[in-house]
Amino acid sequence: MVDTSLSSVELFIVSKYNKNNKLEVIIKMVRYMIFKGFPYYLGAIATTKCIRAILFVFVPGKNGDRVTLDSCTGWVRHMGRFYESRTYSFLLDTQLSKGNIEVLLLDKKKHPILKLNEHSPSGTIALDGKSRYYLRWEFRSASGKCKLQW
């Protein structure tokens, strides 16, 4: 029996994932998304990419991103999670066996405002919590692990 108090989005998800323990988590997640608004939730995870690689694992996070790759060339762009107006310090930790990586912080018009690479691994910039920012990772035949923290 289906709970009739669920919204149409929740009913769709319930019908797709009908497992007892996961059902409650999924419903709570969807209700949270509806409460906060879909743009708030999707903006944090929306990612575009153009990658050619043997191995590529990209994990965006709340206070940083992690990347594990092998023979990777291309780029990844995602919306940054900078909800507070303050000065952010960025630190790029690269552990590459070959190739190059560059990380660009882009403003809402997608113009670069900060550039990090293995020669310039840190930077500090004041960001407005109400504005939209993007992080763009660029890879050139890169293999290894990287971590960006802020």
Side-chain angles (χ1 to χ4, degrees):
M1 179 172 270
V2 177
D3 182 3
T4 57
S5 67
L6 300 175
S7 71
S8 59
V9 175
E10 291 172 329
L11 287 174
F12 172 74
I13 291 178
V14 169
S15 66
K16 288 294 247 183
Y17 301 95
N18 198 8
K19 297 196 172 146
N20 293 336
N21 58 349
K22 292 183 180 179
L23 179 63
E24 290 178 28
V25 173
I26 291 170
I27 290 173
K28 287 179 183 177
M29 182 179 77
V30 170
R31 285 186 176 156
Y32 178 77
M33 287 169 54
I34 291 169
F35 172 73
K36 292 295 267 185
F38 283 106
Y40 177 87
Y41 183 76
L42 293 175
I45 61 170
T47 303
T48 56
K49 64 183 176 188
C50 180
I51 295 291
R52 185 179 62 220
I54 294 173
L55 171 70
F56 180 76
V57 179
F58 180 73
V59 182
K62 186 176 181 179
N63 297 317
D65 296 342
R66 291 184 320 214
V67 181
T68 303
L69 33 87
D70 188 11
S71 300
C72 182
T73 299
W75 58 268
V76 173
R77 185 183 70 215
H78 73 96
M79 188 181 291
R81 297 180 178 188
F82 309 109
Y83 301 119
E84 296 178 23
S85 295
R86 65 179 176 93
T87 300
Y88 287 85
S89 296
F90 292 86
L91 178 62
L92 179 65
D93 178 20
T94 58
Q95 300 170 1
L96 299 177
S97 57
K98 66 176 184 174
N100 297 319
I101 290 183
E102 187 172 83
V103 179
L104 300 169
L105 178 63
L106 309 172
D107 63 9
K108 64 183 174 185
K109 295 180 181 176
K110 298 185 178 85
H111 296 123
I113 56 174
L114 181 68
K115 179 174 152 182
L116 302 172
N117 55 36
E118 54 191 35
H119 302 295
S120 177
S122 63
T124 303
I125 191 166
L127 300 178
D128 180 14
K130 295 180 182 177
S131 190
R132 183 174 287 178
Y133 298 96
Y134 300 91
L135 286 166
R136 179 179 169 108
W137 290 74
E138 296 182 357
F139 311 100
R140 292 176 201 89
S141 302
S143 292
K145 294 182 179 184
C146 296
K147 185 175 9 174
L148 176 66
Q149 296 175 335
W150 57 84

